[in-house]
Amino acid sequence: MSTTPTSVTVPGPAIPARALKIQSRLRMAATWALIKPYWKSEDRKAGLGLLTLVVALNLGIVYINVLLNEWNRVFYNALEQRDYASFKVLLLRFSWIAAFFIVAAISRQYYTMMLQMRWRTWMTGQFMGHWMGHQAYYRIEQTHTTDNPDQRISDDLRQFTDGALSLSLGLLNSVVTLLSFVGILWTVSGPISLALGGNEIVIPGYMVWFAAGYAVIGSLIAHLVGRPLIGLNFQQEQYEADFRFTLVRLRENSEPVALYRGEPTEQAGLRARFDRIRANWNQLMRYTRRLTFVSSGYAQFAIIFPILVAAPRYFAGKMTLGGLMQTSSAFGQVQGALSWFVDSYATLVGWKAAANRLIDFQEAIRVAERQDEAHTGVRDIEVEHTGEPQAGIRVDGLGLALPVRAQRGASVGQRPLVAPFSLSIAPGERWLVNGPSGCGKSVLFRALAGIWPYGSGTVTMPADARTLFLPQRSYLPIGTLADALAYPDAGTAHAAEALQAVLLQARLPQLVDQLDVFDNWSLRLSPGEQQRLAFARALLQKPRYLFLDEATSALDEETEGIMYRLMVEALPDAAIISIAHRSTVAAFHGRRLRYVPDDGAGAQDGQGGDAAVSYRVVCEA
């Protein structure tokens, strides 16, 4: 067998220039809508308390910088005058000023990190709640309206909260620094006279104007050079998440890949995804190089610029050495405060990219929530609960459809799949659902579960409808075997004796003594063991309506018969509805729901218009 890596085309080409420009938009109103809710939440008192403390520490550090600026003037004048007594006193003064600065800086960092985590914790809870609520996580995956929600909840939320605090506190620090030092710089720089057209023009506090002009020009250049980095950072996060997801998927499917000898194809696919990371990174490098050139040149020239501007007055004897150093220090503080935008631009573009990804994710969640809450349009299927405890499941005029998507993945319509039909399932009845592959049998189960938004009709559930759906491959969470068996309950919600008993009934004696073992059970157990574990779960939960979607496909006919007989005997009052292809399963069911091709099915229009349905349902006793 050849081991030469094959060429793989990764779906989802590089984002075009127009889309990149859209992702580079600032979207300030939407960004503010992300920031505001926490500061009005139930945690706002603790958050505002920490924020007040951090702001106070920032103000204290600015005050210490003012003291250091004044200390510079006195210290260098003492050096110029060779005043040794003052020199010793000033060194002592510097020691306690520096000590206060260190304590304030450490405290500010500590409480800023504490506030970052509180804010991130609250936002993570909100996003996870909305993502899991209304089953938005499922609907988003159906419509592919956003990518990698895991990465947006973990990385983007962290970057957003950390960046919002660091940038806002940096801006506050710059404003306070500017207000504190602009008066000092205005006073110590004095006026400058310029001859223009035979007239003498006097500019008071000229160093302030030089600092402002220098910062404005630098900010404009930085924005023009660095703005594309917002969209490029947006793309980089997406590509990194895609690559990481593919690695995790390979790990979770290591056995089938090994059986297929699919290493060359998987390696080629991973390489192709990484090539997208590298190509985008090359663009990031180019734009970052330009931005670094601007910011580094700006910062380096700012060191000598105030000396050059103030040197004429110093050499003219109008300024002492201490005054020159104080002027240089004050200019640096003012220019630095005015240069917040330039200095923070690299951080700002990364933060804005994370904010834009969260805005898109939040909008996708809201769309999913509106689809779930509205009973018209894309979600016409209603799931109602009747107050009659003994009533069965009633289906009225249920027509099923499939979503039709555009090339970019957005849902643009529905293609009818199954003609409307009615059905009644009473407690204790056994229904077998069969038909050709792809006819919509599993879609029916999803509609009965209330998670399929495409179609029309009404599904009425009784008030005491404890339902359990066992798909072909049941979900097994990573954790203890007890947690995997009892899901969605916690393993501790059931006595160990009960868990052991259902494992024995499901013919899994080898797992009885492993209830407390922590593992990824979907990888450790064979498909047959996983299906028997699912039957043990049904015995544990005792549902009134049990839906089996090819839940015995990995079992031999003998074991399959044992599992079905076990369900019938252990759950005599439960309705059992099965999707299965084997004729042996039919012996355990008294009724049949059969999918047959619709004779009037015509050509599909591909846009969910008036296309004919593909199948109709026949109920047989």
Side-chain angles (χ1 to χ4, degrees), residues 16 105 152 165 168 171 261 304 308 366 381 391 460 502 512 573:
R152 302 194 188 213
L165 280 176
S168 58
L171 178 60
R261 298 292 193 269
I304 195 67
L308 293 175
R366 287 173 177 169
I381 295 177
T460 305
V502 295
V512 169
D573 297 326

Side-chain angles (χ1 to χ4, degrees), residues 261-338:
R261 298 292 193 269
E263 295 86 358
T265 301
E266 293 298 325
Q267 185 177 354
L270 287 168
R271 185 181 293 113
R273 283 173 170 79
F274 189 79
D275 283 344
R276 285 166 54 176
I277 293 176
R278 184 177 62 182
N280 195 74
W281 186 261
N282 288 337
Q283 294 188 67
L284 274 171
M285 287 169 55
R286 287 195 292 272
Y287 281 100
T288 302
R289 178 178 61 187
R290 298 174 190 177
L291 181 61
T292 303
F293 175 79
V294 171
S295 59
S296 296
Y298 178 87
Q300 291 302 310
F301 189 65
I303 298 174
I304 195 67
F305 184 74
I307 302 295
L308 293 175
V309 176
R313 296 193 68 215
Y314 174 73
F315 286 112
K318 297 180 180 179
M319 182 181 292
T320 64
L321 177 61
L324 177 64
M325 299 308 296
Q326 185 184 25
T327 300
S328 176
S329 174
F331 181 92
Q333 294 287 350
V334 172
Q335 177 266 331
L338 292 171

Side-chain angles (χ1 to χ4, degrees), residues 563-598:
M563 291 297 104
Y564 264 100
R565 191 172 297 108
L566 181 61
M567 293 299 101
V568 171
E569 294 174 355
L571 305 172
D573 297 326
I576 298 177
I577 305 93
S578 303
I579 296 174
H581 294 288
R582 292 177 184 170
S583 59
T584 53
V585 178
F588 298 95
H589 300 79
R591 296 173 178 271
R592 177 175 295 185
L593 198 67
R594 188 161 55 92
Y595 280 66
V596 297
D598 188 73

Side-chain angles (χ1 to χ4, degrees), residues 325-521:
M325 299 308 296
Q326 185 184 25
T327 300
S328 176
S329 174
F331 181 92
Q333 294 287 350
V334 172
Q335 177 266 331
L338 292 171
S339 303
W340 171 86
F341 187 75
V342 177
D343 298 336
S344 303
Y345 201 86
T347 303
L348 182 63
V349 294
W351 173 75
K352 196 67 197 71
N356 286 351
R357 285 176 60 79
L358 289 174
I359 291 168
D360 291 346
F361 183 40
Q362 187 178 63
E363 180 57 31
I365 292 176
R366 287 173 177 169
V367 169
E369 289 177 340
R370 288 195 295 268
Q371 290 176 354
D372 183 65
E373 292 171 353
H375 296 301
T376 57
V378 72
R379 189 188 189 286
D380 290 330
I381 295 177
E382 278 187 54
V383 178
E384 302 175 350
H385 291 266
T386 179
E388 302 174 14
Q390 299 302 320
I393 297 175
R394 191 172 65 251
V395 175
D396 297 306
L398 179 61
L400 301 175
L402 295 176
V404 178
R405 301 186 180 94
Q407 287 185 344
R408 294 184 181 178
S411 177
V412 295
Q414 302 182 36
R415 177 174 66 83
L417 177 64
V418 179
F421 67 96
S422 297
L423 173 69
S424 179
I425 302 174
E429 289 185 345
R430 314 283 188 252
W431 284 85
L432 178 64
V433 183
N434 57 19
S437 296
C439 66
K441 300 185 296 295
S442 296
V443 172
L444 170 62
F445 276 21
R446 293 168 189 162
L448 294 175
I451 65 173
W452 188 252
Y454 308 106
S456 61
T458 302
V459 177
T460 305
M461 290 282 184
D464 62 340
R466 293 197 315 274
T467 60
L468 180 63
F469 290 80
L470 299 187
Q472 188 173 5
R473 185 177 180 181
S474 291
Y475 173 66
L476 301 180
I478 297 175
T480 66
L481 179 61
D483 290 331
L485 173 58
Y487 188 83
D489 299 333
T492 54
H494 301 272
E497 294 78 9
L499 299 178
Q500 292 170 350
V502 295
L503 287 174
L504 291 173
Q505 287 179 280
R507 291 203 166 188
L508 293 169
Q510 70 276 19
L511 300 180
V512 169
D513 59 349
Q514 300 188 46
L515 288 173
D516 295 327
V517 176
F518 189 98
D519 207 336
N520 186 348
W521 294 99

